[in-house]
Every structure is written in structure tokens, then in C-alpha cells.
Amino acid sequence: NAGVTQTPKFQVLKTGQSMTLQCAQDMNHEYMSWYRQDPGMGLRLIHYSVGAGITDQGEVPNGYNVSRSTTEDFPLRLLSAAPSQTSVYFCASSYRSASGANVLTFGAGSRLTVL
Amino acid sequence: AQKITQTQPGMFVQEKEAVTLDCTYDTSDQSYGLFWYKQPSSGEMIFLIYQGSYDEQNATEGRYSLNFQKARKSANLVISASQLGDSAMYFCAMKHGNNRLAFGKGNQVVVIP
């Protein structure tokens, strides 16, 4: 049981390049999300999905696209990277239940540097 | 809008002592949940403890307990009997909407022998 797997762990891009951060989970979780973590800022929600075919914007969605074609995968696309997107990115998943105690399980993180 | 505030500067705590990390929140929701996560220097996010807004009892998980004061909108984390491995950043977060979490900026804890 691998949990939440993110690739790559490290990436350096030039301004204007595009790339996709991959995220996969093997826990059959309905809910998946992407966060970015910047120094002194905590984690901020970029996009999230409550199930296959359903995505929505979070707190800081500009410059990022997502899709959810399967329950397992939730890739994050940067169409034209900017230095302001230099950050550590975390993918997370959780199972939706009625109790409210839906714990996010995080991937190991992907460190992206945009030059 | 939901807001989480963690304002303590970095904290040094003696091994085996208890430490309390402050967290206050602001929300107009009646139903919400509060989480604490630990982030060691290796970078992963580790779930520690959860408190639902309707839970009568304060949550406890091993050496972690959550001092939930709903009227004051605070959800402080207490770590008892600190260990060297407790040195990390600690984030308070609040669940709202469809499993969306709003995070605070974190508290740095360093445990000294």
C-alpha cells in the first residue's frame, strides 16, 4: 500500500516552460487536493477534486490546471511556469465520511524551482 | 472566510517537559473540524490529532491532546513528555466545505536534551 505518491520530487524549470506534477493514490479515496507551501505561509489550497470528473478551485488556483479522469490520479499542470510558482507542492487525499473526521493523507512533496 | 492564527515564535522545550502550541480560528460555520499536523525537517506532513466542533470531550492521541475552547475559538495542542523527535513545525488546520483545509502558518518547536 503506497498511499499518496508524487513525482517528481525535485524539478527545475525555466520561466515559460510547462510541466505536470503527478499524483496517484491507491486507497480509493474520493477526495484529492493540491497544496503549495511557501516559507512563512503555511499550506495553501490550489485545486481540489471530490471525485472523478469533478474539480474545483482552491485559494490560489491561478497558473495551474487540474483534471481528474480516474479516482487514482490527480495531476497538476503548470502551463507557463513563473518564478512565483517556486514552491513545495503537496498532493493529498482523504475519504469522505459522515463523521467529519476526514484525515488528509499527504504525499512526500515536490520541490519546484522556476528560474 | 476561515482563518487560522498561529503567532508563537519558535519555541525551545526541554526534553520530557510539556509544551503547548497556540491556535485560534475564525469561522462562521457551525460545523467544522480542527486538525494538527507535524512537519519534521524531512518535509512530510504527519497527522496528529482531530477535534470536531460538536465533540464534547477534548481529543487525545497518545502524548498529544487538544485543548478545545469553542467559546474562545482556540484549539491548542499539548505535547506531553517531549522527545527529541518532536522537533518539527506544527500546523493547525481547520476543515470547511468539501474537506477543504485552511492552514495556519505553523509553530516551530525545538526539543533540547
Side-chain angles (χ1 to χ4, degrees):
Chain A
N1 189 345
V4 179
T5 303
Q6 288 182 234
T7 56
K9 290 191 182 300
F10 301 94
Q11 182 72 49
V12 179
L13 291 178
K14 294 181 179 178
T15 297
Q17 286 185 316
S18 63
M19 77 157 298
T20 299
L21 296 175
Q22 301 291 344
C23 178
Q25 52 95 5
D26 61 358
M27 298 171 284
N28 202 32
H29 286 171
E30 297 175 3
Y31 179 87
M32 296 185 75
S33 55
W34 278 101
Y35 286 84
R36 60 176 288 172
Q37 183 178 25
D38 302 298
M41 294 293 293
L43 277 74
R44 292 183 292 169
L45 181 63
I46 304 171
H47 285 284
Y48 66 99
S49 168
V50 299
I54 306 169
T55 64
D56 206 347
Q57 296 181 349
E59 183 184 355
V60 288
N62 292 341
Y64 307 95
N65 280 349
V66 292
S67 60
R68 184 92 179 272
S69 56
T70 67
T71 299
E72 293 78 20
D73 300 301
F74 189 45
L76 179 71
R77 298 182 183 86
L78 286 71
L79 299 179
S80 179
S84 61
Q85 294 178 302
T86 293
S87 188
V88 179
Y89 292 84
F90 287 96
C91 180
S93 72
S94 78
Y95 180 75
R96 185 175 64 189
S97 74
S99 70
N102 297 321
V103 176
L104 286 186
T105 301
F106 284 87
S110 299
R111 183 175 295 274
L112 174 66
T113 301
V114 183
L115 303 176
Chain B
Q2 284 70 20
K3 183 178 179 181
I4 296 286
T5 302
Q6 295 177 261
T7 57
Q8 287 167 304
M11 303 176 68
F12 290 90
V13 58
Q14 201 75 38
E15 193 176 10
K16 300 180 184 176
E17 296 288 315
V19 59
T20 298
L21 305 181
D22 296 338
C23 172
T24 59
Y25 60 92
D26 188 20
T27 182
S28 56
D29 293 346
Q30 294 300 308
S31 178
Y32 52 90
L34 294 153
F35 297 78
W36 277 90
Y37 281 84
K38 172 185 178 181
Q39 187 177 43
S41 58
S42 53
E44 71 267 34
M45 296 290 290
I46 301 167
F47 166 71
L48 295 178
I49 197 167
Y50 168 82
Q51 177 87 41
S53 59
Y54 291 116
D55 293 342
E56 298 279 334
Q57 304 273 356
N58 285 343
T60 60
E61 289 286 349
R63 294 186 299 110
Y64 305 107
S65 61
L66 203 153
N67 183 3
F68 182 50
Q69 298 186 44
K70 193 171 181 177
R72 300 179 63 181
K73 293 189 175 180
S74 74
N76 299 339
L77 176 70
V78 180
I79 307 173
S80 63
S82 297
Q83 302 172 356
L84 296 178
D86 294 333
S87 295
M89 281 289 287
Y90 290 83
F91 291 95
C92 180
M94 179 168 60
K95 180 182 82 73
H96 61 100
N98 280 328
N99 282 335
R100 301 174 62 156
L101 280 192
F103 282 83
K105 295 183 178 182
N107 297 105
Q108 180 74 54
V109 173
V110 176
V111 180
I112 53 179

